[in-house]
Amino acid sequence: MSGYLRYVWRPVTGGRHAFPIAATKVPQIEDVEAYCGAKAPASELHDRSEVDWVRERSCMKCWRHLADKDP
C-alpha cells in the first residue's frame, strides 16, 4: 500500500465528495469530477471552512466507490 494520498474528500456545492488527488492540482478555472461523476469547479476544492464540512453530507456514491476498491 502506498504512503501517498490517492483521493481527497471535499465539501463542494451539493455534498462532500471524493476526488482523485490529481484534482487538487487542476487549474482553478477548470472543472473536476468526483468518483460519483459530480462535477465542480477546481477552485471549490481549496480553502473550505469547517462550517462547509459540517453543512455538507458525504456522498454515498463516492463512499461506495472507494469502499469497493482493493486496499
Side-chain angles (χ1 to χ4, degrees), residues 5-47:
L5 291 175
R6 293 182 288 174
Y7 57 88
V8 294
W9 284 90
R10 290 293 188 264
V12 297
T13 304
R16 191 175 330 145
H17 294 279
F19 294 86
I21 195 68
T24 63
K25 309 289 188 230
V26 171
Q28 293 192 13
I29 60 170
E30 294 183 24
D31 286 343
V32 291
E33 188 171 336
Y35 285 106
C36 68
K39 294 186 180 180
S43 61
E44 287 194 24
L45 301 186
H46 305 282
D47 301 323

